[in-house]
Amino acid sequence: MSVLQTLQERSNNTCELCASTNGLKQYTIPPSLNENVANDVLVCNTCLDQIESKTDMDPNHWRSLNDSMWSEHVAVQIMAWRMLQRLRNEGWPQDLLDMMYLDDDALALARATGEHEDEANKIIHRDANGVILESGDSVVLIKDLKVKGSSMVAKQGTAVRNIRLDHENAEYIEGKVDGQQIVIITQYVKKS
């Protein structure tokens, strides 16, 4: 059974965040790089557009998190926590966050994208041209880079897909080059 079919079965063909039955899609929670049932949720188009910030947040749409935050599936709990964090200035989401419990591993994953940070405190990663980088983006190296601790040289023009951001340093990203996970300085990449 595919990941999508498993998600459809576990959610009874409804959005796992708002319970809508329209336009359902599989969503892999960042910074996860591969699709699997533990990292994915089934969401409707409305939720997906707001998660990916394609449309403005509609606080009333997210009142359904009052139910979905109690899901038995950790991926759903993590997404509920992240959306409540985005809306915490509305008042009612903070009350739900105060009631919510995530174990240490789930909380670390929930915080991985920096949803809990105030906008003024968020670390923003920018490429050599000043374009904002996000987890999951693809970048291209703009110069040859010697990889410390190995004899490998990452060549200019190499594409690095599904990058991860270092949430403590705005100059560092991580990605795989020739099958090896490396840390790359953002001034040597451009978003593709």
Side-chain angles (χ1 to χ4, degrees):
M1 190 178 322
S2 73
V3 173
L4 179 60
Q5 290 171 324
T6 304
L7 292 174
Q8 289 169 332
E9 187 176 300
R10 91 173 181 198
S11 68
N12 199 19
N13 284 315
T14 62
C15 175
E16 293 185 281
L17 298 176
C18 76
S20 172
T21 57
N22 298 325
L24 300 175
K25 294 184 178 159
Q26 177 180 339
Y27 177 72
T28 303
I29 21 180
S32 303
L33 298 176
N34 55 348
E35 297 177 355
N36 69 49
V37 176
N39 298 334
D40 290 28
V41 292
L42 193 66
V43 295
C44 67
N45 285 330
T46 304
C47 286
L48 184 61
D49 287 347
Q50 292 184 45
I51 289 168
E52 294 180 339
S53 301
K54 292 179 184 170
T55 59
D56 292 335
M57 294 289 287
D58 175 9
N60 287 326
H61 175 80
W62 295 104
R63 289 196 178 265
S64 59
L65 293 176
N66 187 37
D67 296 325
S68 56
M69 69 184 231
W70 303 111
S71 172
E72 65 185 273
H73 306 289
V74 175
V76 177
Q77 295 171 13
I78 289 169
M79 284 309 302
W81 186 90
R82 286 181 180 177
M83 300 317 293
L84 289 169
Q85 285 291 340
R86 286 190 197 178
L87 295 165
R88 68 184 175 274
N89 293 333
E90 294 288 322
W92 62 266
Q94 187 60 53
D95 294 338
L96 296 180
L97 284 166
D98 292 342
M99 289 188 286
M100 195 170 184
Y101 172 79
L102 293 175
D103 66 34
D104 292 340
D105 292 339
L107 187 57
L109 183 56
R111 289 181 169 170
T113 57
E115 298 289 344
H116 63 292
E117 299 282 340
D118 290 329
E119 287 299 318
N121 296 335
K122 280 190 181 179
I123 293 177
I124 298 173
H125 295 74
R126 296 183 187 273
D127 72 359
N129 297 326
V131 176
I132 295 175
L133 299 172
E134 296 181 18
S135 285
D137 283 347
S138 295
V139 296
V140 175
L141 302 179
I142 60 172
K143 71 177 266 180
D144 290 354
L145 302 175
K146 175 142 179 41
V147 179
K148 289 185 179 179
S150 77
S151 60
M152 182 177 132
V153 175
K155 297 289 186 186
Q156 178 180 346
T158 301
V160 182
R161 290 175 181 72
N162 291 323
I163 63 168
R164 292 184 183 175
L165 306 179
D166 182 326
H167 292 286
E168 295 176 7
N169 190 328
E171 293 184 12
Y172 294 157
I173 59 172
E174 294 181 18
K176 283 191 177 184
V177 174
D178 295 333
Q180 184 176 347
Q181 187 79 10
I182 63 170
V183 174
I184 305 167
I185 298 174
T186 55
Q187 68 187 25
Y188 302 126
V189 299
K190 67 177 181 177
K191 188 172 180 176
S192 58

